[in-house]
Amino acid sequence: MKNYNKVSVNDGPRIELHDALGLTGAEISINALPAGASVPFVHSHKQNEEIYAVLEGKGYVLIDGEKVALAAGDFLRIAPTAKRQFFAADDSSIKYMCIQVKENSLEGYTMTDAVV
Amino acid sequence: MKNYNKVSVNDGPRIELHDALGLTGAEISINALPAGASVPFVHSHKQNEEIYAVLEGKGYVLIDGEKVALAAGDFLRIAPTAKRQFFAADDSSIKYMCIQVKENSLEGYTMTDAVV
């Protein structure tokens, strides 16, 4: 496999990077919802931990029925089996990144995995 | 483990999320370099694929000696053993997210891992 791949992401409702970048340890998507909109379904996962990064705007997520406010700069880990649904605020769009990884898959990291 | 964790990230030279969020499948860091600065060392990894997302500004990365330009909106996958070093541009700072995951750890994702 090539030692690196690069893509430039332009605006769109949803962009998926797994195939575009040849990822093998994660799927990453960039998602945007206009003001007042929501993802039209609730979902959970079988194996994957999800990490959400709010890039712009504000909104909220319902996690197992609990309303969690979201604004730019917020990062969220959600356990696989938790039921989640994302909403933009009534007066603001929201743009966020979703990172899917297999729960408990990370072994060493940073200083225990790096070679300097 | 709790069904979710949330942190709000404020500006700083480097923020690490693994422990703050209780991550089990990734380490995520937010990094900032002022104009003209660089990470002061070259590094590679033993097991981990790294995915970089450029959040603001511009700069470049040297990957196995190849200079790859970076600007906001760029996403990059770098294979574990590739030698990398990040630089801000001379006339711009750069802010980027680094996601470390174990290479080949992802099994199903999105529709093959989701429960809707």
Side-chain angles (χ1 to χ4, degrees):
Chain A
M1 189 181 277
K2 198 166 177 302
N3 60 352
Y4 77 92
N5 291 307
K6 177 182 146 180
V7 296
S8 296
V9 167
N10 298 309
D11 288 338
R14 181 174 163 93
I15 293 154
E16 297 178 342
L17 295 176
H18 181 278
D19 293 353
L21 283 177
L23 301 181
T24 70
E27 162 63 312
I28 298 177
S29 62
I30 317 298
N31 305 270
L33 295 168
S38 71
V39 175
F41 55 85
V42 176
H43 84 284
S44 60
H45 279 272
K46 296 172 193 164
Q47 292 198 124
N48 289 348
E49 176 174 88
E50 284 192 325
I51 304 129
Y52 289 87
V54 182
L55 302 173
E56 298 171 13
K58 58 182 183 171
Y60 63 96
V61 53
L62 290 178
I63 303 175
D64 289 335
E66 182 179 343
K67 185 172 179 174
V68 180
L70 297 175
D74 285 349
F75 285 77
L76 203 64
R77 178 197 67 86
I78 305 183
T81 58
K83 293 182 172 64
R84 70 213 70 179
Q85 184 178 16
F86 282 77
F87 298 77
D90 285 338
D91 61 349
S92 172
S93 61
I94 189 168
K95 184 176 179 183
Y96 58 94
M97 186 184 309
C98 175
I99 302 159
Q100 283 179 62
V101 292
K102 186 180 173 188
E103 191 177 40
N104 297 320
S105 62
L106 191 70
E107 296 177 2
Y109 61 95
T110 310
M111 292 317 295
T112 57
D113 193 67
V115 180
V116 178
Chain B
M1 191 183 275
K2 200 166 176 303
N3 60 351
Y4 78 91
N5 291 306
K6 177 182 148 181
V7 295
S8 295
V9 166
N10 298 308
D11 288 339
R14 181 173 163 93
I15 293 155
E16 297 177 342
L17 295 176
H18 181 279
D19 293 352
L21 283 177
L23 300 181
T24 70
E27 164 63 312
I28 298 177
S29 61
I30 318 297
N31 304 270
L33 295 169
S38 71
V39 175
F41 54 86
V42 176
H43 84 283
S44 60
H45 279 272
K46 297 172 192 164
Q47 293 198 123
N48 289 349
E49 176 175 85
E50 284 192 324
I51 305 130
Y52 289 87
V54 182
L55 302 174
E56 299 172 13
K58 59 183 182 171
Y60 64 95
V61 52
L62 291 177
I63 303 174
D64 289 335
E66 182 180 344
K67 184 173 179 173
V68 180
L70 296 175
D74 285 349
F75 285 77
L76 203 65
R77 178 197 67 84
I78 305 183
T81 58
K83 292 182 173 62
R84 70 213 68 178
Q85 184 178 16
F86 282 77
F87 298 77
D90 285 338
D91 60 351
S92 172
S93 61
I94 189 169
K95 184 176 177 181
Y96 59 93
M97 186 184 312
C98 175
I99 302 159
Q100 282 180 62
V101 292
K102 188 180 172 188
E103 190 177 39
N104 298 318
S105 63
L106 191 69
E107 297 175 2
Y109 62 95
T110 310
M111 292 317 295
T112 57
D113 193 67
V115 180
V116 178

